[in-house]
Amino acid sequence: YDLEERLLEYAARIVRLAEALPNSAAGKHISGQVLRSGTSPMAQHGEAQSGESRKDFVHKMSVGLKELRETLRWLQLIQRVPLIEKTGLLEPLIVETDELIRIFVSSIKTARENMQ
């Protein structure tokens, strides 16, 4: 698979989700939060690909990882409240977030091992 394409599609799914949240105080707040954290990994991965060193790569991927973990929490909250009617539609996005977290962790681990 192409991780760049996968992250682009993930960000698009996050944008669509944010647009579908209600126009309430909670909906607006969470929409902004999930939009920021959920689109950031795509950009961080792009920056990591142009990293000036392995250390820079690890740093940028670590920021993306933090954002993915934050996004997972927001998705779980959206599902728990629930803030959208069809909460079952969130489950595939939660699974994808978890898979991306695992990919980022593995990539960071490999890069750190190669630094030594």
Side-chain angles (χ1 to χ4, degrees):
Y1 65 91
D2 182 0
L3 185 55
E4 183 177 342
E5 178 60 32
R6 190 168 174 178
L7 287 166
L8 181 60
E9 179 57 29
Y10 178 78
R13 290 169 70 186
I14 291 292
V15 169
R16 289 190 292 269
L17 171 66
E19 291 294 321
L21 291 174
N23 196 18
S24 63
K28 288 177 188 176
H29 172 73
I30 293 171
S31 174
Q33 294 291 334
V34 77
L35 193 58
R36 280 186 286 280
S37 66
T39 56
S40 178
M42 175 195 65
Q44 291 299 327
H45 178 260
E47 287 188 29
Q49 287 180 313
S50 300
E52 297 174 9
S53 65
R54 225 176 277 261
K55 185 177 177 181
D56 190 35
F57 173 85
V58 168
H59 172 71
K60 302 251 191 304
M61 290 295 285
S62 295
V63 172
L65 175 60
K66 286 172 49 177
E67 296 292 342
L68 283 166
R69 286 182 171 148
E70 178 182 344
T71 302
L72 180 60
R73 296 300 186 346
W74 288 120
L75 293 174
Q76 290 167 335
L77 180 61
I78 292 166
Q79 190 176 43
R80 174 75 55 95
V81 169
L83 285 176
I84 60 173
E85 289 182 26
K86 297 182 180 180
T87 57
L89 298 175
L90 281 172
E91 193 58 37
L93 194 52
I94 289 171
V95 168
E96 177 68 356
T97 306
D98 185 61
E99 288 178 11
L100 289 170
I101 287 170
R102 292 172 191 272
I103 290 167
F104 272 58
V105 166
S106 178
S107 184
I108 292 165
K109 181 181 175 190
T110 299
R112 283 187 175 145
E113 288 170 356
N114 290 337
M115 285 175 26
Q116 296 174 2

